[in-house]
Amino acid sequence: MPMRRFVVAAVLCSLMPGIADAMTVSEFLAKTRALKAEGMMAMFSSDATLLKREIGGIAAEYRAKRLADKAAGRPPHSCPPDHAKMSGDTLLAALNKFRALNRA
């Protein structure tokens, strides 16, 4: 369970508005809802590819920052495992919770 918290934190931080070229949490969730509504046809949507690339880019950026901090001797802000995995439902639940907290 702690592994998921680190991955969720990394994804949430990277999806916050203000990060260069990153999609906002609201945009990500809206595209996800639209894809879910398409059912099996969502597999052929360019938005499905876009969302996969967004997550991949976020993970790569997070990893690069973590490694740069380590190389510079700065303390890590998190210590994720080498191969963290999370289901899409877990990620979406965390993003929805994050979005709800930021509306308050």
Side-chain angles (χ1 to χ4, degrees), residues 48-59:
T49 303
L50 175 69
L51 293 178
K52 286 178 188 176
R53 270 189 288 186
E54 186 76 12
I55 292 294
I58 289 165

Side-chain angles (χ1 to χ4, degrees), residues 3 7 9 12 27 29 36 42 47-48 66 68 73 80 83 96 99:
M3 169 180 60
V7 175
L12 293 178
E27 291 168 339
L29 291 172
K36 281 187 171 189
D47 278 346
R66 190 174 49 81
H83 300 287
N96 279 305
R99 188 167 152 229

Side-chain angles (χ1 to χ4, degrees), residues 28-51:
F28 187 91
L29 291 172
K31 287 188 181 295
T32 301
R33 279 191 301 277
L35 285 173
K36 281 187 171 189
E38 290 183 29
M40 292 299 290
M41 293 304 293
M43 293 182 347
F44 305 107
S45 171
S46 61
D47 278 346
T49 303
L50 175 69
L51 293 178

Side-chain angles (χ1 to χ4, degrees), residues 54-75:
E54 186 76 12
I55 292 294
I58 289 165
E61 185 177 330
Y62 170 72
R63 184 175 191 277
K65 181 180 182 339
R66 190 174 49 81
L67 293 176
D69 285 347
K70 182 179 180 179
R74 293 185 292 265

